[in-house]
Amino acid sequence: MTLSAAPRISCEVLETRADVARIFNIQRYSLNDGRGIRTVVFFKGCPHRCPWCANPESLSPHIHTVRRESKCLHCAPCLRDANECPSGAFENIGRDVTLDALVQEVMKDDVFFRASGGGVTLSGGEVLMQAPFAARFLARLRQLGVHTAMETAGDAPLSRLLPVANQCDEVLFDLKIMDARQAKLVLNLNLPRVLANFRHLAASGICVIPRIPLIPGYTLSQENLQRVLAFLQPTGVTVLHLLPFHAYGEPKYRLLGRDWAMKGIPAPSADEVGALRQRAEQAGFQVTVGG
Ligand code: SF4
């Protein structure tokens, strides 16, 4: 069983409810998505199409079913009804969860948050597609004393971004292809809007942390980095996270029956990453590799 290609959708189009979210994963004990030990909630739906996306199951805003070939017994019942599968080969990607239930679920990890200075990070997909829920959810967590963060590409109207960002102690803000035409063509991303949003958050005093995925053939270049640095310098932001490409998402493409556009492309070498790091540090940035 395979998925059909996810439709291109925009943040503006998706109607969301403020008390129910559609998520596809909750990852506990994460160390790479904000400070301390984090619980990361992955929201479903993304308007972008990064060829290197490590979460292809996030792209469609719909709940869908996949079949794990390794578990399939190739028996007759599933031809009639996936619910009759005796081996549990069918798996739903995505579920709807209420605000109260999600708060209860993540607060199970409160002891780790308090011991490590960690908290909850919203990721995706693009969480701004479910902005009304995200803002309410984060506000509830803050009332409970939990540190809050989100990962975003920042490509939404400010009226959608700001209520969520205002509830975040940290906004992990991706800066990818820095050429507007290529960003639109390759990622379906409105770069001028992204940059204007970043500037606005930084000027508002919100803690915004720029992150560059270092992707061979797309963003892994001195030229792209230089554009990022030139953009950041007037904003007063002096930290920068570099996220080297990895192929951990490849098996998910197989599961979904999709082509992996990055097939055979190796991760950047330590020298390549080191050279970019050095350039950013020489420009006065405090650089973290891995985020
Ligand atoms: S913005 Fe993130 S979730 Fe969306 S396609 Fe790009 S990498 Fe994947």
Side-chain angles (χ1 to χ4, degrees), residues 32-53:
N32 295 320
D33 302 284
R35 69 173 212 197
I37 298 175
R38 318 288 305 178
T39 294
V40 186
V41 181
F42 291 88
F43 284 68
K44 201 120 168 44
C46 182
H48 308 301
R49 291 298 177 263
C50 308
W52 57 85
C53 182

Side-chain angles (χ1 to χ4, degrees), residues 184-260:
K184 186 70 197 167
L185 201 68
V186 177
L187 311 176
N188 190 34
L189 181 125
N190 179 344
L191 185 63
R193 175 162 75 172
V194 168
L195 300 184
N197 283 346
F198 187 102
R199 274 192 214 99
H200 188 96
L201 296 193
S204 308
I206 291 171
C207 176
V208 52
I209 298 176
R211 309 196 311 171
I212 313 175
L214 299 179
I215 313 297
Y218 295 101
T219 61
L220 182 73
S221 71
Q222 291 282 353
E223 188 195 348
N224 200 67
L225 176 72
Q226 189 49 44
R227 288 188 183 200
V228 172
L229 299 180
F231 165 72
L232 288 176
Q233 258 147 355
T235 68
V237 172
T238 57
V239 294
L240 182 61
H241 290 188
L242 302 179
L243 310 177
F245 165 71
H246 58 74
Y248 303 152
E250 183 171 8
K252 299 183 190 176
Y253 284 83
R254 276 201 297 277
L255 179 67
L256 298 172
R258 292 214 187 125
D259 289 336
W260 166 236

Side-chain angles (χ1 to χ4, degrees), residues 51-259:
W52 57 85
C53 182
N55 293 324
E57 75 276 42
S58 75
L59 301 184
S60 166
H62 305 294
I63 296 172
H64 42 86
T65 306
V66 294
R67 189 185 64 188
R68 285 196 183 272
E69 189 61 25
S70 57
K71 286 189 180 176
C72 180
L73 302 174
H74 300 284
C75 54
C78 74
L79 299 176
R80 297 195 303 271
D81 185 350
N83 293 325
E84 293 179 17
C85 175
S87 68
F90 288 87
E91 194 177 297
N92 275 345
I93 310 258
R95 66 182 165 108
D96 287 341
V97 60
T98 65
L99 188 84
D100 288 342
L102 192 56
V103 169
Q104 212 176 358
E105 207 163 330
V106 300
M107 288 307 287
K108 288 176 189 164
D109 302 327
D110 192 34
V111 61
F112 299 107
F113 306 154
R114 293 191 190 283
S116 69
V120 173
T121 301
L122 309 190
S123 185
E126 175 52 68
V127 67
L128 296 179
M129 292 187 73
Q130 303 188 56
F133 179 96
R136 286 191 65 202
F137 178 55
L138 293 170
R140 281 277 290 280
L141 294 179
R142 277 186 145 182
Q143 283 166 5
L144 295 167
V146 175
H147 183 272
T148 57
M150 75 162 156
E151 298 175 339
T152 182
D155 186 10
L158 200 54
S159 60
R160 184 177 282 266
L161 167 66
L162 214 44
V164 188
N166 277 332
Q167 297 299 334
C168 287
D169 296 306
E170 279 177 4
V171 177
L172 305 169
F173 198 119
D174 288 346
L175 295 174
K176 308 183 193 198
I177 297 173
M178 292 297 281
D179 175 272
R181 205 178 64 84
Q182 286 296 315
K184 186 70 197 167
L185 201 68
V186 177
L187 311 176
N188 190 34
L189 181 125
N190 179 344
L191 185 63
R193 175 162 75 172
V194 168
L195 300 184
N197 283 346
F198 187 102
R199 274 192 214 99
H200 188 96
L201 296 193
S204 308
I206 291 171
C207 176
V208 52
I209 298 176
R211 309 196 311 171
I212 313 175
L214 299 179
I215 313 297
Y218 295 101
T219 61
L220 182 73
S221 71
Q222 291 282 353
E223 188 195 348
N224 200 67
L225 176 72
Q226 189 49 44
R227 288 188 183 200
V228 172
L229 299 180
F231 165 72
L232 288 176
Q233 258 147 355
T235 68
V237 172
T238 57
V239 294
L240 182 61
H241 290 188
L242 302 179
L243 310 177
F245 165 71
H246 58 74
Y248 303 152
E250 183 171 8
K252 299 183 190 176
Y253 284 83
R254 276 201 297 277
L255 179 67
L256 298 172
R258 292 214 187 125
D259 289 336

